[in-house]
Amino acid sequence: MAYELYYWPSIQGRGEFVRLALEASGQVYRDVVRGKDGMAAMTRLMSGRETPPFAPPFLKVDGLLIAQVANILAFLGERHGLEPQDPKGRWFTRQLQLTLADLVVEAHDTHHPVASNLYYEDQLAEAARRSEDFRAERLPKFLGYFETVLVANPDGTAHLVGADLTYADLSLFQVVEGLSYAFPKAIKRMLKQYPNVFALRDSVAALPRIKAYLASERRIPFNEDGIFRHYDALDQ
Amino acid sequence: MAYELYYWPSIQGRGEFVRLALEASGQVYRDVVRGKDGMAAMTRLMSGRETPPFAPPFLKVDGLLIAQVANILAFLGERHGLEPQDPKGRWFTRQLQLTLADLVVEAHDTHHPVASNLYYEDQLAEAARRSEDFRAERLPKFLGYFETVLVANPDGTAHLVGADLTYADLSLFQVVEGLSYAFPKAIKRMLKQYPNVFALRDSVAALPRIKAYLASERRIPFNEDGIFRHYDALDQ
């Protein structure tokens, strides 16, 4: 019944959304690739015949092998109360998670607009152009959307959906943290425009289990191998 | 009970994945924005207070407003038998759909690697670089993955999951059709390498309801405003 999480061992990356859901709901899990022989185990599962993942992260439990962040979170959300039980709330939570996933792709592509398998240094000019558009157009559009959702929540602005914590809240926290690391100047200019988004970031960080997790060695620091990378040239 | 689909009226785009699921399962639906005053109705729903979508497509039915393609398909799949009922098959179908969605983003970004709100003509050099990587690295990786999944299916190579049609099959059909339109030369070189992927494309096209749909006026032709665009310069 203990969860096995498979993800790259030296970055937060997409695995972090799963880690946050496991931590916030108090689950026992093993971050397999950070342990002995973990990389070999991950490679083995990826080339396995049954329900092979296209890419990490994936979660192994009870004979299931589940990949894709939004899918893993829906699975965990159902099981551990991180998703509303009513259909309207459930489908909306899943929609928000998928919208956050879209934002994550765009944040990644600011430093890799040409190809993931090239270095950032091989696509500097393209990255500068893409980042300029991201900061000016996309970031305000996404953050403005989540601000609207918080303000419109009939149960109050403390959560994206309903009156309780969902994985969409946790993921918004993570995205805002990542964006603040990658684009500190741009985010600083936006603090007052999206007050409820940043208030949610702060309240998630203060949740006892999340606070303990963030202070632990289990939380890998942001770095320039992950999705959210800080390059001065991309934050002017 | 009739479905209302909201999407841009002149492109297949992401709406097409939803149209195919509705058509294949024989649902009555209204493609609202293609009708009178449809655009105003879509705009109204997007700025509505309750569970607002970030972007089209979205589906309205029974008091629910559901956005994000993978989410809409999971909803329709559960209701209309386009998803296995066993957990393993269900989560895997959803994973495959999300992987197809990732491929769709990458196919789109071949012609818009810098910004969606600029013209293709404003990012010609970047598009050429990104397309080269897409054709050489990403396309074989994705098509090879779906070929592996088909070959590994214990119920046979006719479907991605289990022994029956799922929306993942429909979506793979659509992606292969789109890629064949956008990159005819690259796809022609790949026909023999991924025989089961192309056989699935053909068998979906031959399904009576899909065949009728494709021959109807409801099927919008591919064009250079959609996700899959043909530019000679990107298919060398």
Side-chain angles (χ1 to χ4, degrees):
Chain A
M1 168 66 207
Y3 291 105
E4 289 184 9
L5 171 65
Y6 292 81
Y7 195 63
W8 308 113
S10 56
I11 59 170
Q12 292 183 16
R14 287 183 170 79
E16 197 65 13
F17 298 97
V18 182
R19 291 191 188 104
L20 286 168
L22 291 166
E23 296 279 350
S25 58
Q27 302 310 309
V28 176
Y29 70 100
R30 203 152 61 89
D31 207 334
V32 178
V33 190
R34 295 177 77 183
K36 194 169 173 301
D37 301 327
M39 192 61 88
M42 182 159 87
T43 307
R44 214 159 38 235
L45 285 173
M46 287 192 64
S47 52
R49 283 184 59 84
E50 212 178 15
T51 68
F54 180 73
F58 46 92
L59 193 70
K60 194 163 174 280
V61 69
D62 296 348
L64 295 171
L65 191 64
I66 303 179
Q68 283 278 358
V69 169
N71 210 31
I72 300 171
L73 293 179
F75 174 83
L76 291 174
E78 264 184 22
R79 285 192 157 195
H80 303 301
L82 286 174
E83 210 182 54
Q85 293 191 306
D86 66 293
K88 187 178 286 189
R90 193 177 69 223
W91 293 111
F92 192 46
T93 305
R94 294 181 180 191
Q95 188 265 128
L96 292 171
Q97 182 62 43
L98 289 165
T99 303
L100 285 161
D102 289 344
L103 172 51
V104 166
V105 172
E106 296 194 24
H108 170 272
D109 284 4
T110 57
H111 51 79
H112 276 74
V114 173
S116 291
N117 34 327
L118 293 177
Y119 291 107
Y120 163 61
E121 287 73 16
D122 296 325
Q123 43 198 314
L124 292 176
E126 295 91 342
R129 276 194 84 189
R130 176 131 189 176
S131 295
E132 189 182 339
D133 178 80
F134 180 75
R135 295 190 316 269
E137 304 289 338
R138 303 300 290 170
L139 202 43
K141 182 168 176 176
F142 276 106
L143 294 182
Y145 172 72
F146 291 110
E147 181 74 16
T148 301
V149 170
L150 285 165
V151 171
N153 184 351
D155 293 307
T157 60
H159 299 289
L160 285 164
V161 189
D164 300 305
L165 182 75
T166 66
Y167 56 74
D169 294 330
L170 298 170
S171 296
L172 182 57
F173 156 81
Q174 174 65 11
V175 166
V176 172
E177 284 292 273
L179 292 169
S180 303
Y181 174 80
F183 303 100
K185 288 183 195 163
I187 290 294
K188 198 177 172 190
R189 286 193 297 272
M190 295 178 189
L191 285 173
K192 285 186 185 161
Q193 284 175 271
Y194 313 111
N196 291 292
V197 168
F198 292 99
L200 176 60
R201 185 263 307 264
D202 295 343
S203 72
V204 168
L207 292 169
R209 282 177 178 149
I210 295 297
K211 194 175 171 185
Y213 167 65
L214 296 176
S216 77
E217 289 196 353
R218 300 193 301 286
R219 173 79 164 182
I220 301 164
F222 284 109
N223 61 51
E224 277 56 53
D225 295 317
I227 292 169
F228 298 106
R229 306 187 186 186
H230 177 66
Y231 297 118
D232 264 334
L234 305 187
D235 184 35
Q236 291 308 313
Chain B
M1 170 65 207
Y3 292 105
E4 289 183 9
L5 171 65
Y6 293 80
Y7 194 64
W8 308 114
S10 56
I11 59 170
Q12 291 183 16
R14 287 182 170 80
E16 197 65 13
F17 298 97
V18 182
R19 291 191 189 106
L20 287 168
L22 291 166
E23 295 279 350
S25 59
Q27 302 310 309
V28 176
Y29 71 100
R30 202 152 62 89
D31 207 335
V32 178
V33 189
R34 295 177 76 182
K36 192 168 176 302
D37 300 327
M39 192 63 87
M42 182 159 88
T43 307
R44 214 158 41 235
L45 285 173
M46 287 193 63
S47 52
R49 285 185 58 85
E50 210 177 17
T51 68
F54 180 73
F58 47 92
L59 192 71
K60 193 160 175 282
V61 68
D62 297 347
L64 296 171
L65 192 63
I66 303 179
Q68 284 278 358
V69 170
N71 210 31
I72 299 170
L73 293 179
F75 175 83
L76 292 174
E78 265 183 21
R79 285 191 157 198
H80 303 301
L82 286 173
E83 212 182 51
Q85 292 191 307
D86 65 292
K88 186 178 287 189
R90 194 177 65 224
W91 293 111
F92 192 46
T93 304
R94 294 181 180 191
Q95 186 254 288
L96 293 171
Q97 182 62 44
L98 289 165
T99 304
L100 285 162
D102 289 344
L103 171 51
V104 167
V105 172
E106 295 194 24
H108 170 271
D109 285 5
T110 57
H111 51 79
H112 276 73
V114 173
S116 291
N117 35 327
L118 293 178
Y119 291 108
Y120 164 61
E121 288 72 17
D122 296 325
Q123 44 199 316
L124 291 176
E126 294 91 341
R129 276 194 85 189
R130 176 130 189 177
S131 295
E132 190 183 341
D133 178 81
F134 180 75
R135 293 191 317 267
E137 304 288 338
R138 302 301 290 169
L139 202 43
K141 184 170 176 176
F142 276 105
L143 294 182
Y145 172 72
F146 291 109
E147 181 74 16
T148 300
V149 170
L150 284 165
V151 171
N153 184 352
D155 293 309
T157 59
H159 298 290
L160 285 164
V161 189
D164 300 306
L165 182 76
T166 66
Y167 55 74
D169 293 331
L170 298 169
S171 296
L172 181 57
F173 156 81
Q174 174 65 12
V175 166
V176 172
E177 283 292 275
L179 292 169
S180 303
Y181 174 80
F183 304 100
K185 289 183 195 163
I187 290 294
K188 198 177 171 191
R189 285 193 298 271
M190 294 178 189
L191 285 172
K192 285 186 185 162
Q193 284 176 270
Y194 314 110
N196 291 291
V197 167
F198 292 100
L200 176 60
R201 185 262 310 262
D202 295 342
S203 72
V204 168
L207 292 169
R209 282 177 179 150
I210 295 297
K211 195 176 170 185
Y213 168 64
L214 296 176
S216 77
E217 289 196 353
R218 299 193 301 286
R219 173 78 163 183
I220 301 164
F222 284 110
N223 61 51
E224 278 54 56
D225 295 318
I227 292 169
F228 298 106
R229 305 187 187 186
H230 177 66
Y231 298 117
D232 263 333
L234 305 187
D235 185 35
Q236 293 309 312

